[in-house]
Amino acid sequence: MQLVRQNEKNAVKRCGSVAPRSGRGRGSGAHRPVCAVLAALLVTAVGSGCASGGQPGDIEHRDRPLAGNPGPNPELNPAATPGTNPAAGHPGGPGRRAGRDRAPVGAHENAQLSPAVRATLAKKWGLAETPLIAPRPPAVKPRLTTREGFEVKGGNDSLPPVFTTVPTKDRVVFLTMDDGSEKDPELLQMMDELDIPYSAFLSDYEVSDNYGYFGEAQRLGVGINNHTLNHPYLPGLSYAEQEREICGEQEIIEKRFGKRPALFRPPYGNYNGDTLRIAKSCGIKAVPLWNAEAFPDHMEWREEDEDLHPGDIILTHFRGRAEWDGSMADLVRAVMKTVTDRGYAVARLEDYV
């Protein structure tokens, strides 16, 4: 398989539609206790006899730019106005201080359910197949190295590694979501009930109107990671400006969510030597980019074979109907069809990195 390096042109490819959109509307936003949901679904599964489910600058690195767009969330953010698209630094409610990450025991809650109940959950949310269950996380995390072609001038092994795939033989992939503009309560409920892990890479200008939404995501097991304060093109900034963007976001995440991130993703996948040195100085241990990108109606690929591989990182964004012809739930249905059809489970990135 030929390596497609980040600095080559047309490194990301598009393939056809992976799943039709279901046309489901947004949920109510109320987060029901999982136990109550599962109890109700178990009764439904037994009663209906449903079938069992399946299992100072250096070399500049670029990737395609992507932006976000906020959507309404009157329940978790009463100040939100439907249809608005606030500019960078828009004001909003202060949100509530979130608790620390819950222990990742929830990553295998569904493994304890019967196939019938898991199939019923998948059917409830419109998934084509029951998601496969990821294996237990490795006892020892794999050693990470910078992907060939992604090095910076003067870089060495002391800098945070930059990678698009986690070295593992497990048939798992990792779902990551960037920016934070769309704050859809239905996504929280869907991912919690289906027990699909994902990691958030947040930019403060997109989330400062509603820290509480991401505090709830964190409580449900979502990793909260750094994507800068204002989503700038980092190689175009001075050292001091990059430091403010990266380390400033570290401080805000620690203050709001109780934990300083170890993972950082530069906006657009663009970085230079200063970026990595600054990231290291304020506590970043690794820089996960992506090997595929998910949309509600298609996938885009970095590799020429246009396929998934063990340990691939999948990028998507917190977006909604204002920018996409579909909701976050539609996105999840589409990406899970691709992942499950190709024989992979979704694992928690922080369990491997």
Side-chain angles (χ1 to χ4, degrees), residues 13 26 44 78 121 123 141 153 231 234-235 241 252 285-286 290-291 306 309-311 318 323 333:
K13 301 175 178 61
R26 294 187 186 279
T44 302
L121 283 165
K123 182 178 180 180
K141 294 182 178 181
K153 183 179 179 181
H231 207 277
L234 289 173
E241 290 169 332
I252 286 177
K285 306 298 183 185
W290 60 92
N291 222 32
E306 299 189 353
H309 316 87
F318 289 97
E323 281 199 76
R333 283 186 277 272

Side-chain angles (χ1 to χ4, degrees), residues 101-289:
D101 287 321
R102 74 175 182 181
V105 293
H108 289 81
E109 288 174 354
N110 274 7
Q112 303 172 28
L113 303 178
S114 71
V117 172
R118 291 193 296 110
T120 301
L121 283 165
K123 182 178 180 180
K124 170 190 172 180
W125 287 105
L127 270 62
E129 300 289 342
T130 304
L132 302 178
I133 297 174
R136 289 283 177 183
V140 178
K141 294 182 178 181
R143 179 176 178 269
L144 300 168
T145 58
T146 292
R147 176 172 172 162
E148 183 181 355
F150 288 60
E151 305 90 349
V152 296
K153 183 179 179 181
N156 54 45
D157 290 344
S158 70
L159 294 178
V162 182
F163 52 96
T164 62
T165 298
V166 176
T168 180
K169 294 182 179 179
D170 294 341
R171 287 189 67 82
V172 297
V173 294
F174 305 99
L175 182 59
T176 65
M177 298 186 187
D178 281 10
D179 301 343
S181 60
E182 178 75 2
K183 303 166 185 72
D184 187 348
E186 184 181 43
L187 175 70
L188 297 181
Q189 182 181 348
M190 180 183 195
M191 301 300 265
D192 186 37
E193 291 185 14
L194 292 173
D195 205 15
I196 299 172
Y198 62 105
S199 301
F201 287 80
L202 302 181
S203 289
D204 192 63
Y205 87 102
E206 294 280 28
V207 306
S208 61
D209 63 335
N210 192 356
Y211 291 117
Y213 177 89
F214 295 98
E216 175 66 5
Q218 182 190 42
R219 188 187 71 79
L220 295 172
V222 175
I224 303 296
N225 304 294
N226 188 330
H227 198 45
T228 71
L229 288 172
N230 298 295
H231 207 277
Y233 172 69
L234 289 173
L237 302 184
S238 68
Y239 189 96
E241 290 169 332
Q242 286 203 52
E243 186 174 42
R244 177 181 178 275
E245 285 289 337
I246 300 168
C247 299
E249 180 70 359
Q250 287 287 90
E251 293 169 4
I252 286 177
I253 290 177
E254 183 175 24
K255 177 182 177 181
R256 293 289 180 175
F257 302 102
K259 184 176 181 180
R260 201 171 183 86
L263 305 183
F264 165 68
R265 175 175 287 159
Y268 320 117
N270 297 157
Y271 60 97
N272 59 17
D274 282 351
T275 310
L276 300 184
R277 284 185 278 271
I278 291 166
K280 178 185 176 182
S281 75
C282 51
I284 295 298
K285 306 298 183 185
V287 180
L289 297 184

Side-chain angles (χ1 to χ4, degrees), residues 37-87:
V37 172
L38 296 182
L41 289 168
L42 181 58
V43 171
T44 302
V46 172
S48 64
C50 63
S52 297
Q55 317 97 347
D58 299 272
I59 296 175
E60 171 189 326
H61 289 253
R62 302 187 174 191
D63 249 313
R64 56 188 296 276
L66 294 157
N69 187 30
N73 181 10
E75 182 155 345
L76 287 176
N77 179 18
T81 301
T84 60
N85 183 11

